[in-house]
Amino acid sequence: MESTLRGLTWDHPRGYAPLLGGAPEYEKQHPEIKIRWDRRTLREFGEAPIEQYLDRYDLLIVDHPFVGFAAAQEALVNLAPSISETEKLRFAADSVGPSWESYWYGTGLWALPIDAATQVASYRPDLLLTLSPAVPDTFEGVLELGKKVRKAGKYIVVPACPTDAVSLFFTLSANLGYPIPEERELFVDHSVAAEVLDRLHAIIALAHPRSVGWNPIQTYDFMTSGSDAVYCPYGFGYSNYSRVGNSVRLKFTNAPAAGQRGCAGTMLGGTGVAISKFSTHQSEAIAYVKWLVSPEHQRGTYFREGGQPASLAAWTDSLVNAVADGFFSGTLQTLQTAYLRPRFDGFVRFFEAAGIQINRCLRGEVEDAALIRWLNERYATQRVAARQIA
């Protein structure tokens, strides 16, 4: 009897192309299974409640902050009982950075990592090397480069729309040596927040003025469609923009150091593939999910079709790296030392609201001191609510 697995992913070639491209391969191996993937916008992916999709889809591409909600509400299938101890060890060894760890929460495993990313640096080699002999590896070097390129009539650029503004706050806090923990009600010490905001204001002042409205995709599209933007210090990496064959491509490299920890501490991104608790084909979905995240598929069809793997075997594959013009080797250190943000039930709502407020601050609409008070008060309220629900 034929079964159809319906999935929902995000609407970018990196999100949907490898799933659509790999489906015929899986169907050929399993003729009793049909795979159908729909898409939702990047904004919906990051903010829309996943519960509205649970009764329509067997498979959901999610990001790891949703696992707190999944654990509290039992919205997704706990995959832990379906993963053998041998498989767990294999998945853990093949994880890029904390990707595997990020989908464990409470007593459950709520997704398997399929895509890995963190905030890394990128640049136009043809433009940067005419202005600077080296790519900056410190925050101070970024500011020096920013001043130099402005004098040349060009810009550095940094995605700082609300979602990326709050991501920058998390990244700089952790990179400075003060990662924001899940376990306490105080979001951030005033002195740490003040330093983070000072640095963000400094970099925004030198960046292209439209940076505060852009996400990484818009940023990279701008960098590759003209010659005004030279360098981006922090943005979630997209290997699609570095692949051999692009008429204009970006070079990606490790994030610059704001503190004494090198590139360590940039906020983990990426996605996982989860299964709805309402799926009537759970065993078939589990088998398909395991196939999707296998090293063989990740460094093969998944990458060839435009995916950005979560498998360490793919990230260290010489052919994969060559096709992506060094993207994987150039950013692996940053991803291996990435920071895992809080994931408690309710954190996503805080993250969304904080992004709006931090973005307003970068636009000059909210004073730093008022923002810091708001962040700590809102975070404490959300933590208390999460404990009451638990």
Side-chain angles (χ1 to χ4, degrees):
M1 182 177 178
E2 184 178 283
S3 299
T4 299
L5 297 178
R6 300 188 180 277
L8 183 65
T9 186
W10 50 299
D11 193 12
H12 183 271
R14 177 176 139 196
Y16 66 78
L19 298 173
L20 296 177
E25 184 178 332
Y26 190 80
E27 291 172 344
K28 185 176 181 179
Q29 298 174 19
H30 304 272
E32 76 284 3
I33 301 294
K34 296 298 179 186
I35 309 293
R36 300 290 181 267
W37 284 99
D38 293 335
R39 313 172 198 174
R40 54 176 171 161
T41 67
L42 185 61
R43 182 178 178 84
E44 290 172 333
F45 170 76
E47 299 180 5
I50 59 174
E51 56 265 36
Q52 66 180 282
Y53 304 111
L54 296 175
D55 60 347
R56 287 182 280 162
Y57 294 98
D58 303 282
L59 304 154
L60 296 162
I61 300 298
V62 300
D63 68 356
H64 58 266
F66 281 105
V67 298
F69 169 83
Q73 307 298 329
E74 298 183 352
L76 303 173
V77 172
N78 178 7
L79 298 173
S82 303
I83 308 292
S84 70
E85 291 303 315
T86 299
E87 287 175 317
K88 289 175 185 176
L89 291 173
R90 189 163 61 244
F91 280 130
D94 192 47
S95 173
V96 183
S99 295
W100 164 252
E101 174 191 350
S102 71
Y103 295 99
W104 286 91
Y105 197 84
T107 59
L109 173 63
W110 307 103
L112 294 181
I114 193 172
D115 175 292
T118 191
Q119 289 183 310
V120 295
S122 59
Y123 61 97
R124 282 275 301 272
D126 57 325
L127 301 177
L128 177 65
L129 298 180
T130 65
L131 297 169
S132 173
V135 181
D137 59 3
T138 65
F139 191 90
E140 291 71 24
V142 171
L143 298 184
E144 290 176 9
L145 177 64
K147 295 171 185 175
K148 184 178 293 186
V149 300
R150 284 292 291 271
K151 289 180 180 178
K154 300 185 183 299
Y155 291 95
I156 63 170
V157 62
V158 55
C161 71
T163 298
D164 293 279
V166 65
S167 299
L168 287 168
F169 193 99
F170 277 96
T171 282
L172 286 177
S173 299
N175 187 238
L176 287 167
Y178 304 97
I180 293 167
E182 177 166 330
E183 297 77 19
R184 68 176 190 177
E185 289 184 12
L186 181 68
F187 178 66
V188 64
D189 292 332
H190 189 281
S191 60
V192 174
E195 180 173 358
V196 168
L197 291 173
D198 282 348
R199 290 174 181 268
L200 287 177
H201 288 308
I203 208 166
I204 290 298
L206 291 170
H208 192 284
R210 292 172 64 189
S211 291
V212 290
W214 281 340
N215 62 30
I217 296 170
Q218 293 165 315
T219 298
Y220 301 146
D221 283 344
F222 181 76
M223 292 178 73
T224 55
S225 63
S227 58
D228 289 337
V230 173
Y231 171 82
C232 173
Y234 303 101
F236 287 101
Y238 275 73
S239 63
N240 312 73
Y241 291 90
S242 69
R243 297 201 181 203
V244 174
N246 292 351
S247 57
V248 177
R249 61 179 181 264
L250 300 177
K251 193 77 174 177
F252 286 82
T253 189
N254 288 312
Q260 304 300 315
R261 306 181 66 232
C263 60
T266 65
M267 195 185 81
L268 182 71
T271 62
V273 55
I275 299 171
S276 167
K277 67 175 182 179
F278 294 118
S279 172
T280 57
H281 307 293
Q282 291 186 15
S283 61
E284 294 89 345
I286 289 170
Y288 174 52
V289 164
K290 288 183 179 180
W291 178 82
L292 280 174
V293 303
S294 66
E296 296 76 20
H297 180 64
Q298 287 262 294
R299 67 186 178 202
T301 303
Y302 188 83
F303 171 73
R304 286 196 302 273
E305 293 292 331
Q308 189 163 296
S311 163
L312 183 60
W315 276 70
T316 55
D317 185 287
S318 59
L319 179 58
V320 168
N321 190 54
V323 173
D325 193 24
F327 173 90
F328 297 99
S329 61
T331 61
L332 181 57
Q333 183 183 356
T334 306
L335 193 44
Q336 292 286 56
T337 55
Y339 156 76
L340 181 57
R341 75 192 103 156
R343 293 162 295 157
F344 60 83
D345 187 20
F347 173 76
V348 173
R349 290 189 292 276
F350 167 80
F351 189 80
E352 294 164 4
I356 293 170
Q357 294 303 314
I358 294 171
N359 179 267
R360 290 185 62 211
C361 181
L362 297 182
R363 292 174 182 269
E365 299 171 4
V366 177
E367 293 184 354
D368 291 8
L371 172 64
I372 296 168
R373 286 196 301 273
W374 184 93
L375 289 170
N376 281 323
E377 290 171 3
R378 181 62 178 263
Y379 193 73
T381 299
Q382 210 73 62
R383 291 291 293 123
V384 169
R387 284 200 300 273
Q388 290 174 345
I389 292 171

